[in-house]
Amino acid sequence: MSQSLSPEYLTSLGQQFGTPLYVYHAEKIKEQYEKLTTAFRNSNTVFFYACKALTNVNVLKYVCSLGANVDCSSINEVKLALYAGFPKERVLYTSNGIGFDEIAEAVSLGVIINIDSLSNLEKFGQKYGGTYPVGVRLRPNIMAGGNLKISTGHDKSKFGIPVDQVEKILALVDSYNLDIADLHIHTGSEIKDVDVFVKGIEILFELIPQFRSLRFIDLGGGFKVPYKDGDAQTDIQLLADKVNAAFANHPNPGGRPLQVWFEPGKFLVSECGYFITKVNVLKETDAATFASVDSGFNHLIRPMFYDAYHRIENISNPNGAPRRYSVVGNICETDTFAWDRTINEVREGDYLVFYNAGAYGFEMSSNFNSRYKPAEVLIKDGQAHLIRRRDVFEDLLRNQVEL
Ligand SMILES: *Cc1c(COP(=O)(O)O)cnc(C)c1O
């Protein structure tokens, strides 16, 4: 059965904790994780939670307790993951464009590292040679994902070392006796077509025989989840079947079995999240009826940044007559969450909830307009726990140096 929180319960949370409020439902994360492990149960596959989607330390601890590994995109995420209790063997740092000092720090912390430039790979070789295993992030030059902003594997993307430069990687492997443990590709987000992953594997199969110490193949993240009714999603069982078939048809070099890694972010935490806001003002105009909520792109930027669609429901008036609204925020920028959206009649003071708010919601929030970041609540075992207090005025002055 699919886990979800009812409008009545969300309303009570809005009343108890105030708005704007992020709410995460732990058991939904578990449900998603189990979809993955169930689909891949007959293969040697490991899942690394791409934690940049949501890094609250309580979420990290929960994901750790499920048995997942973790993928980090900065040295601070690495430190948060270790702090949350992930053992270093389960922490992967997939870097891009970082200074070598962060790579050296990751080595000293003992975590798994993917390097995404020839320059850092060479520095790595000079410093560590073959004494510390390392992965290489490749750019497969394939287009995938929802749109250009979230596609990372195409031939103009900054991410990874282009596969056409593999000779240069191999030259570094030779020069420094590098122990290349994994090859990594991550082609983007919201990939509904599982054949994109298969295409990535096929590109890797041509390279695999040239990397003699390879143990792992890392296929990245980007599984799509539905944002609205009828939305496509990645068919995880089909993905598992195709990945298994692809590996069955390509015997591993030297007969050594390769373990497959994935790095799901959005898939694990998108649907667990709800963002509850309150309607401050209703404004009737010729063009639209605006419902202004106590938030903006300072709290949830995906609609403005990616044109992302988030389902919005009036949980205070579920039986109200449907009407059309432009849902906007309260900051001094155009911050439209939804243009001309049908919602049950909205009154000032009503709670509007945004669904799929777990991934890249709070995580991309800011203090723009000197507004407070929202509070976060985790629902676990039927209990609501405050896991981040709302900012207070002192937080706005914190770190400022007064002259
Ligand atoms: C962001 C990211 C992911 C996760 O992407 P989702 O779309 O959230 O699944 C995985 N791997 C890497 C390297 C990333 O940068």
Side-chain angles (χ1 to χ4, degrees):
M1 199 201 75
S2 188
Q3 306 265 359
S4 62
L5 302 180
S6 71
E8 298 74 33
Y9 185 53
L10 292 169
T11 303
S12 73
L13 294 173
Q15 283 159 351
Q16 184 183 347
F17 295 97
T19 61
L21 182 72
Y22 274 99
V23 176
Y24 313 121
H25 187 196
E27 282 77 14
K28 180 67 189 178
I29 303 176
K30 181 166 186 230
E31 180 187 314
Q32 292 296 97
Y33 181 63
E34 287 176 352
K35 274 186 205 168
L36 296 173
T37 53
T38 304
F40 282 90
R41 65 193 172 283
N42 294 324
S43 54
N44 187 6
T45 307
V46 175
F47 299 95
F48 292 74
Y49 167 49
C51 71
K52 71 173 186 285
L54 177 57
T55 55
N56 186 291
V57 69
N58 300 282
V59 172
L60 295 178
K61 285 180 188 173
Y62 184 74
V63 171
C64 184
S65 77
L66 296 176
N69 292 2
V70 65
D71 176 50
C72 304
S73 53
S74 74
I75 194 72
N76 294 333
E77 283 186 2
V78 169
K79 291 179 192 171
L80 278 174
L82 293 170
Y83 176 85
F86 284 96
K88 59 186 191 302
E89 307 77 29
R90 285 168 56 192
V91 179
L92 169 61
Y93 183 12
T94 301
S95 61
N96 90 84
I98 62 170
F100 189 74
D101 54 331
E102 279 197 20
I103 293 177
E105 194 171 359
V107 169
S108 71
L109 293 170
V111 301
I112 314 165
I113 302 168
N114 283 332
I115 288 183
D116 99 320
S117 67
L118 290 170
S119 149
N120 271 334
L121 194 59
E122 172 140 42
K123 290 175 195 160
F124 189 92
Q126 284 164 353
K127 181 144 186 189
Y128 305 106
T131 62
Y132 196 95
V134 66
V136 173
R137 179 172 185 170
L138 297 167
R139 194 189 73 188
N141 298 345
I142 52 183
M143 181 65 200
N147 63 46
L148 257 192
K149 264 193 194 162
I150 57 175
S151 176
T152 56
H154 59 84
D155 65 2
K156 292 183 183 59
S157 162
K158 71 165 187 173
F159 294 97
I161 303 173
V163 282
D164 42 284
Q165 296 178 10
V166 70
E167 292 306 326
K168 293 185 175 157
I169 301 173
L170 292 168
L172 291 176
V173 172
D174 273 351
S175 303
Y176 299 106
N177 194 28
L178 290 172
D179 175 11
I180 305 292
D182 77 271
L183 294 179
H184 170 282
I185 50 175
H186 169 71
T187 49
S189 200
E190 308 210 336
I191 302 166
K192 51 181 185 275
D193 180 4
V194 302
D195 287 329
V196 169
F197 290 95
V198 175
K199 211 162 146 191
I201 295 171
E202 281 165 3
I203 290 168
L204 288 176
F205 276 134
E206 291 175 20
L207 308 175
I208 286 171
Q210 308 180 65
F211 291 88
R212 287 183 291 278
S213 58
L214 214 57
R215 274 98 73 198
F216 316 104
I217 290 295
D218 184 347
L219 296 175
F223 304 155
K224 179 159 175 32
V225 296
Y227 275 74
K228 52 177 181 262
D229 290 343
D231 230 1
Q233 56 183 307
T234 310
D235 183 336
I236 299 297
Q237 188 59 59
L238 181 65
L239 175 69
D241 294 346
K242 290 210 173 190
V243 169
N244 289 341
F247 276 87
N249 291 333
H250 283 259
N252 296 309
R256 278 189 321 275
L258 291 170
Q259 187 175 69
V260 175
W261 294 351
F262 286 103
E263 303 164 350
K266 185 176 284 185
F267 185 83
L268 289 177
V269 297
S270 174
E271 292 162 286
C272 85
Y274 304 78
F275 182 48
I276 308 173
T277 63
K278 194 191 258 181
V279 177
N280 283 335
V281 172
L282 271 180
K283 188 184 283 182
E284 306 270 357
T285 71
D286 288 343
T289 301
F290 293 99
S292 301
V293 297
D294 56 356
S295 183
F297 70 47
N298 49 328
H299 298 153
L300 178 64
I301 202 173
R302 297 189 72 260
M304 305 82 181
F305 196 49
Y306 302 117
D307 284 328
Y309 182 102
H310 283 263
R311 196 158 60 82
I312 303 172
E313 217 168 75
N314 183 357
I315 55 174
S316 302
N317 194 18
N319 300 316
R323 289 191 48 195
R324 300 185 83 86
Y325 298 92
S326 281
V327 180
V328 296
N330 61 356
I331 58 169
C332 295
E333 274 281 347
T334 298
D335 56 352
T336 307
F337 290 107
W339 307 87
D340 199 24
R341 185 78 68 83
T342 302
I343 303 173
N344 296 103
E345 186 183 5
V346 175
R347 305 151 308 182
E348 291 185 356
D350 281 355
Y351 289 128
L352 299 190
V353 64
F354 293 73
Y355 290 86
N356 285 80
Y360 311 109
F362 181 89
E363 210 56 35
M364 294 176 86
S365 67
S366 76
N367 288 113
F368 187 50
N369 275 201
S370 294
R371 293 211 169 269
Y372 301 150
K373 287 196 187 183
E376 293 177 291
V377 164
L378 182 68
I379 312 301
K380 196 171 148 223
D381 302 323
Q383 298 280 324
H385 307 271
L386 183 69
I387 57 169
R388 184 191 300 266
R389 62 166 174 74
R390 189 178 311 289
D391 278 351
V392 292
F393 187 71
E394 287 69 37
D395 292 318
L396 301 178
L397 284 168
R398 192 159 41 105
N399 297 338
Q400 295 198 45
V401 180
E402 290 192 61
L403 303 180

